[in-house]
């Protein structure tokens, strides 16, 4: 079995915790930059290519500004994500708004900042027109239905997914939008999440490209871009081979030349909306072992919990764990690694074979750079952790402070009742 190597050492963490107590998420600037550059190069054959980073994966302004340097835009799914993108200087064509069951005020704001709206349903055409007006350029999300079983992924059953137009609705929707004055069109689809295969994007591209050729012939619409969305995954387990973005880009190029170019669509731009692939391997959750328990099983309790990383509790997802300083020790102990929530699924690992863990050891939980911090919550009154950035020069900076009890109580409008809260309790 291959291994996963943390991008921080025990010595670095011991230095960090003098200033930033665990748990915390930390990101690797060098890795993020190298990967963003590789994605840009892999699709450089397409002159209109743009990666719209899925903000929901890692909604941190420092991260977004790094990606912006490589020409990335933002894929937003809510009002606050749109507001963040706008505040950071992303504008107009730099922002894709892909939302579902969308409130009116979110469409209104998207129109105000001229974001490219990606409609999720045919009924949203009239809804958008009524609440905000239709733009000159619009995209529609296509759901072909059926099963999509190219690899073992989180979501591979489009027919059971709440997203997108059916094929008949897509054709009808384009006709309606063209009649209402929309000039330029895009098509978007998302069929599976976290695919660890170089075949996903080319397979999806073939489906979309063929559909777009039919759309052009049937509706006469001017289709400017095709959005392959996200779904390109990462190897969470050490035995998996990572995706090769260069090979993926090359294979999409082949399908593009095979299907779109002969149909007179050789100037169509290719967009992607990757979150996990862009960031997941370049983030880790650092936590300290604070308890051990010997009952029906062997447990190690850490100072992080599912509010810091929900994926194992929510999906049973695997995240590799390295005991810092014991990378070369024999793995001869079997543990459940748990947090402190009042829920039995609050486990980062179940029956995981690891080296002997001692109280005070620091654990590095891998691949939390996407859908890690961002899925945090406040159950049990738990507070979300800080986010740190390991800069290319080795410096560590805080890019989001940890929440405090004062933050937790800030939304209550009962100042008279809570006037005696001691925000420094326990310190």
């Amino acid at each position: 079995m291959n291994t996963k190597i943390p991008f921080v050492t025990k010595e670095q963490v011991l230095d960090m915790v003098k200033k930033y107590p665990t748990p915390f998420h930390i990101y690797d600037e060098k890795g993020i930059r190298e990967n963003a550059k590789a994605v840009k190069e892999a699709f450089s054959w397409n002159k209109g290519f743009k990666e719209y980073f899925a903000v929901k994966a890692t909604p941190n302004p420092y991260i977004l500004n790094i990606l912006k340097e490589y020409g990335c835009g933002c894929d937003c799914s809510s009002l606050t994500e749109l507001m963040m993108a706008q505040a950071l200087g992303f504008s107009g064509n730099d922002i894709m708004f892909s939302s579902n069951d969308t409130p009116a005020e979110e469409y209104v704001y998207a129109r105000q900042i001229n974001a490219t709206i990606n409609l999720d349903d045919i009924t949203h055409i009239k809804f958008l027109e009524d609440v905000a007006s239709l733009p000159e350029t619009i995209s529609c999300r296509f759901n072909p239905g059926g099963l999509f079983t190219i690899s073992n992924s989180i979501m591979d059953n489009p027919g059971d997914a709440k997203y997108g137009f059916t094929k008949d609705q897509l054709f009808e929707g384009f006709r309606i939008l063209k009649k209402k004055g929309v000039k330029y069109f895009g098509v978007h689809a998302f069929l599976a999440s976290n695919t660890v295969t170089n075949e996903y994007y080319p397979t999806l591209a073939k489906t979309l490209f063929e559909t777009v050729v039919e759309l052009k012939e049937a509706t006469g619409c001017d289709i400017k871009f095709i959005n392959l969305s996200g779904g390109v995954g990462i190897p969470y387990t050490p035995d998996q081979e990572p995706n090769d973005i260069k090979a993926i880009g090359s294979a999409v190029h082949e399908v593009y030349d095979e299907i779109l170019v002969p149909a007179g669509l050789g100037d169509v731009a290719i967009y992607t909306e990757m979150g996990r692939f862009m960031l997941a391997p370049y983030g880790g959750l650092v936590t300290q072992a604070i308890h051990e328990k010997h009952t029906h099983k062997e447990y190690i309790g850490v100072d992080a919990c599912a509010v810091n990383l929900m994926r194992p509790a929510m999906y049973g997802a695997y995240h590799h764990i390295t005991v810092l300083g014991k990378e070369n020790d024999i793995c001869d102990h079997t543990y459940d690694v748990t947090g402190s929530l009042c829920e039995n699924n609050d486990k980062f690992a179940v029956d995981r074979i690891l080296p002997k863990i001692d109280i005070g050891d620091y654990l590095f939980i891998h691949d939390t750079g996407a859908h890690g911090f961002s899925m945090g919550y406040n159950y049990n009154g738990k507070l979300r952790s800080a986010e740190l950035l390991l800069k290319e020069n080795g410096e560590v900076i805080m890019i989001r402070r940890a929440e405090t009890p004062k933050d937790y109580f800030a939304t209550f409008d009962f100042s008279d009742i809570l006037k005696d809260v001691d925000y420094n309790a326990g310190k």
Side-chain angles (χ1 to χ4, degrees), residues 12-24 362 386 388 395-402:
Q12 286 175 300
V13 166
L14 288 174
D15 190 51
M16 291 176 208
V17 297
K18 295 174 185 176
K19 188 173 182 180
Y20 308 111
T22 55
F24 54 74
Y362 289 98
L388 310 180
E395 179 188 2
V396 174
I397 62 171
M398 181 171 65
I399 59 174
R400 191 194 303 264
R401 66 166 175 81

Side-chain angles (χ1 to χ4, degrees), residues 22 28-29 137 145-146 162 258 260 279 289 299 343 395 412:
T22 55
D28 176 20
E29 181 182 13
T137 299
K162 67 175 182 175
E258 174 191 340
L260 292 183
L279 256 295
Y299 295 97
E343 299 292 339
E395 179 188 2
F412 291 110

